[in-house]
Amino acid sequence: MLVSLVGYFIATLASFYSNMGQYDRLSHLEKTWFPMASLSTDILHIFKTQIERHEDAFLTGEQELADEVNALNSVLLDKFTQVEEIIRNNPQVPLKLADIEKLRLDYTAYLKLAKAIETWADDAIELTPKLQKEIQQHGRQQRDLLVRFTALNKNFSSCFIQEIQDNKTTTLHTTFFLGFLFLLVLLFAAVIIDKVADRLLIKPLATLKENVRSFAVSQEIIEPQETSPSDEVGHLASAFWEMTKDLKSTTVSKKYVDNIIRNMSGALVVVDPAGIIEKVNQQATALFGFEEKELIGKEVTLLFTEARATPLKDIGQLAHWPLKDVDVNCRAKDGHIFPAHFSGSVMDNEAGKVVGLVCVLNDITELKNSEQKLKQMALHDALTGLANRHLFFDRLELAIHEAERSGNKFAILFLDLDNFKPINDSLGHDIGDLVLRNVATRLQNLVRAGDTVARMGGDEFTIILTGLQAEQDAEKIAEKIIQRIAVPFTFGTVTCNLGASIGITLFPDHGTMSDQLINRADQAMYLAKAQGRNTYCLHQEPDQAQS
């Protein structure tokens, strides 16, 4: 009996230290990885919100939106401070403090550039080349920071998931070890008791056996009654009772770990090697619009637009795993398609056999929309929405290449508004801006879908007319433009009368290079102004002008 008690004492110590180690690991998970994953998600969310508010503030000029953007700066920098503090206190975090500090410095530089652009935009009447260059640099920094913030979020989310998986595996191993140890001790005790006990021990041993079975199933046992000092079986039951109390106080249940996974930030989908969904978290059901029971047991390709285009198309060949931040197109239950970042890793059992795949998906619709908005700002005039100078010259080069290949003609119309400056000076810039927007609308309505209308700056516009048969085609369009611009512009009680002077060049009649064509169109426009304005002129060679 004494030997049996010694064995149970050793088992209790082993279980206690094993579970204390597990408790420490989960405490580290709670104090380090969970805050890191949460902070990285907050940083990404705040930065995306800043992008939207800054774009709205830049386009509308509302000071309230600009103040809201500035208020978010301190919030995001405070998140950086919290991340740095966690890294300082936890050297095992796989991220250098210098990298976070570098990211903070780049973000601070981005804020300074954004403030400079805001100041330029408030003071500038039109989109100057210098302001355009500042906007392009701001867009590059914004895209770079967005990618780095997204990578930071994915990195910490992946580490958080891996830490959870490691803890689950350790818990499973500990359970197997303790179960084996307990059974070994019980077997040894049974042999001793079988040799030395008599019929008076049958009932207490049966009770002890029932307690063992109950503990293995539900970790619940019956508290033993008080025994005499000579009752070794009673002492054994008491020792077992104390041991199980220690285990229950130090063991973390699998349900606890499952709750952590269920409430993580990304959409988690666990599939078996055959591609069948085994488990999802709440974020996955919310993202795709399915109930959990609608996904369990279904093929994971249900969540993607095209099964052959997903990272899981070769699920039987796992040599390319793990995958990090792969762009995929997902399909929700209601049929709408959205872009997402996909990350995944393989789960192995103790024998090294693949038992499943852990997949994490994050909706990047907002990221894609932000990229589209930045592209729009870089290539289009902020006031009218027309192509800007950069996009105009790109389209002009394409038109030249296409005309050289096909042998067709195209025309460039260089248009300057007559009487715009007096209107802008007397009625104010607000009316002037309304006039320019309405002129842009009228010009777009007069040309075909394949033609290009651009604002070069101020009240100057250019038009590329493709696929012309003769110069008369361009002249007809010019006449329609002059007639349409001559229609008064009315804004409430304010009426504005404008004219248009237009210079025309034809490819290849008047030149074969972009600078040559646009300069000659500009000269022809000034000739139209010299002839009385509100008219158009074709480019004339010097001998033609003299004649």
Side-chain angles (χ1 to χ4, degrees):
M1 299 298 289
L2 180 60
V3 175
S4 300
L5 291 176
V6 171
Y8 275 108
F9 179 75
I10 294 174
T12 301
L13 289 179
S15 63
F16 179 81
Y17 283 110
S18 296
N19 285 284
M20 284 302 295
Q22 179 66 7
Y23 179 82
D24 291 339
R25 287 190 292 272
L26 288 175
S27 297
H28 178 68
L29 177 69
E30 179 185 7
K31 296 178 181 179
T32 301
W33 288 113
F34 184 80
M36 289 291 280
S38 178
L39 286 171
S40 64
T41 299
D42 291 344
I43 289 173
L44 180 60
H45 175 73
I46 293 171
F47 187 69
K48 289 180 178 179
T49 302
Q50 277 191 309
I51 292 175
E52 294 178 355
R53 298 295 188 275
H54 185 268
E55 291 172 353
D56 293 340
F58 181 78
L59 294 175
T60 63
E62 293 184 11
Q63 184 60 39
E64 183 178 347
L65 289 175
D67 294 339
E68 185 177 350
V69 172
N70 293 331
L72 290 175
N73 295 341
S74 60
V75 176
L76 197 148
L77 290 173
D78 182 64
K79 299 292 182 182
F80 268 115
T81 301
Q82 296 179 44
V83 172
E84 292 171 352
E85 184 65 22
I86 293 175
I87 294 175
R88 290 191 188 97
N89 296 331
N90 298 275
Q92 67 272 30
V93 174
L95 185 68
K96 295 181 179 178
L97 182 61
D99 294 337
I100 293 297
E101 293 175 345
K102 177 63 168 58
L103 190 56
R104 177 199 281 266
L105 291 176
D106 292 345
Y107 174 71
T108 304
Y110 160 82
L111 294 179
K112 292 181 180 179
L113 181 58
K115 184 65 178 177
I117 292 176
E118 180 181 350
T119 304
W120 274 87
D122 290 340
D123 297 338
I125 299 177
E126 61 186 48
L127 188 63
T128 63
K130 184 172 184 180
L131 179 54
Q132 181 179 353
K133 183 177 179 181
E134 295 285 349
I135 292 174
Q136 290 175 348
Q137 183 181 355
H138 173 265
R140 288 191 297 270
Q141 291 184 355
Q142 189 179 81
R143 288 190 297 272
D144 178 66
L145 285 173
L146 192 57
V147 169
R148 292 164 67 186
F149 285 154
T150 301
L152 181 68
N153 183 38
K154 299 303 177 295
N155 183 19
F156 283 128
S157 295
S158 298
C159 291
F160 181 54
I161 293 173
Q162 187 60 47
E163 189 76 6
I164 292 173
Q165 293 300 328
D166 291 344
N167 277 279
K168 288 180 66 178
T169 301
T170 302
T171 300
L172 185 61
H173 290 170
T174 302
T175 302
F176 285 154
F177 170 77
L178 293 178
F180 174 77
L181 184 59
F182 294 154
L183 290 176
L184 183 63
V185 171
L186 284 175
L187 179 61
F188 187 78
V191 172
I192 299 299
I193 292 173
D194 184 65
K195 292 181 178 180
V196 300
D198 56 30
R199 293 179 59 87
L200 296 177
L201 300 177
I202 294 176
K203 186 176 180 179
L205 287 176
T207 303
L208 181 59
K209 181 179 179 181
E210 180 61 24
N211 277 338
V212 172
R213 187 198 64 80
S214 178
F215 179 77
V217 174
S218 62
Q219 293 189 343
E220 296 294 337
I221 66 172
I222 301 173
E223 183 176 0
Q225 298 178 354
E226 294 184 3
T227 60
S228 64
S230 61
D231 186 358
E232 294 185 0
V233 175
H235 293 166
L236 179 62
S238 298
F240 185 78
W241 163 259
E242 295 297 329
M243 179 185 67
T244 55
K245 286 200 304 182
D246 291 340
L247 287 173
K248 290 176 66 176
S249 65
T250 57
T251 301
V252 179
S253 68
K254 180 176 179 295
K255 183 178 179 181
Y256 177 80
V257 179
D258 288 341
N259 285 335
I260 295 177
I261 296 176
R262 188 176 296 276
N263 291 283
M264 61 182 291
S265 60
L268 178 70
V269 180
V270 180
V271 301
D272 65 14
I276 303 301
I277 299 175
E278 293 184 333
K279 186 177 182 63
V280 295
N281 65 353
Q282 293 177 349
Q283 283 69 22
T285 57
L287 181 62
F288 291 96
F290 288 97
E291 297 290 338
E292 183 175 356
K293 62 183 179 181
E294 294 177 306
L295 292 175
I296 303 301
K298 301 295 178 61
E299 292 187 3
V300 71
T301 52
L302 171 69
L303 305 179
F304 301 94
T305 56
E306 297 181 10
R308 295 182 178 180
T310 70
L312 303 174
K313 62 179 182 298
D314 296 325
I315 198 168
Q317 300 177 358
L318 305 176
H320 58 289
W321 292 76
L323 299 177
K324 300 291 184 182
D325 294 334
V326 178
D327 285 352
V328 295
N329 288 323
C330 298
R331 187 193 305 277
K333 180 179 179 180
D334 60 8
H336 88 272
I337 297 172
F338 60 92
H341 273 161
F342 173 94
S343 297
S345 60
V346 175
M347 291 192 303
D348 299 330
N349 62 13
E350 293 79 1
K353 181 180 178 181
V354 174
V355 296
L357 307 171
V358 179
C359 308
V360 179
L361 296 112
N362 287 278
D363 187 356
I364 56 171
T365 302
E366 294 183 4
L367 174 61
K368 294 296 184 181
N369 291 340
S370 297
E371 291 175 351
Q372 184 62 34
K373 288 180 181 179
L374 289 174
K375 183 178 180 181
Q376 175 74 15
M377 291 174 60
L379 299 178
H380 293 79
D381 176 53
L383 177 63
T384 63
L386 298 177
N388 59 16
R389 294 177 63 90
H390 180 75
L391 182 56
F392 170 78
F393 280 104
D394 284 348
R395 296 274 180 86
L396 180 55
E397 291 294 333
L398 289 176
I400 291 174
H401 293 318
E402 177 62 22
E404 290 176 342
R405 184 186 63 82
S406 62
N408 293 332
K409 292 178 178 288
F410 71 85
I412 295 178
L413 276 60
F414 198 112
L415 183 151
D416 185 86
L417 297 178
D418 299 329
N419 199 38
F420 175 75
K421 188 176 186 305
I423 292 174
N424 198 44
D425 292 342
S426 61
L427 299 180
H429 297 310
D430 291 341
I431 296 298
D433 290 346
L434 287 174
V435 169
L436 292 175
R437 292 193 188 101
N438 278 265
V439 168
T441 301
R442 293 185 183 184
L443 293 177
Q444 287 181 307
N445 292 336
L446 289 172
V447 300
R448 298 164 299 178
D451 297 330
T452 298
V453 181
R455 181 184 177 213
M456 304 299 282
D459 59 346
E460 293 182 340
F461 298 83
T462 53
I463 302 173
I464 302 174
L465 301 175
T466 59
L468 302 181
Q469 301 299 321
E471 66 182 41
Q472 289 80 7
D473 297 335
E475 293 176 345
K476 291 178 181 179
I477 296 297
E479 291 174 354
K480 290 181 179 180
I481 291 173
I482 292 172
Q483 294 171 3
R484 186 63 179 146
I485 298 300
V487 176
F489 295 82
T490 303
F491 311 103
T493 59
V494 178
T495 300
C496 303
N497 294 294
L498 296 174
S501 297
I502 303 175
I504 305 174
T505 53
L506 297 173
F507 177 92
D509 301 354
H510 301 144
T512 58
M513 299 178 64
S514 58
D515 290 342
Q516 189 179 41
L517 289 168
I518 195 67
N519 289 335
R520 291 181 176 179
D522 187 21
Q523 295 171 6
M525 181 272 292
Y526 279 107
L527 181 60
K529 284 186 176 291
Q531 293 180 0
R533 303 192 175 197
N534 205 34
T535 186
Y536 68 87
C537 284
L538 279 168
H539 168 71
Q540 297 180 4
E541 299 297 335
D543 55 345
Q544 294 176 328
Q546 293 175 1
S547 62

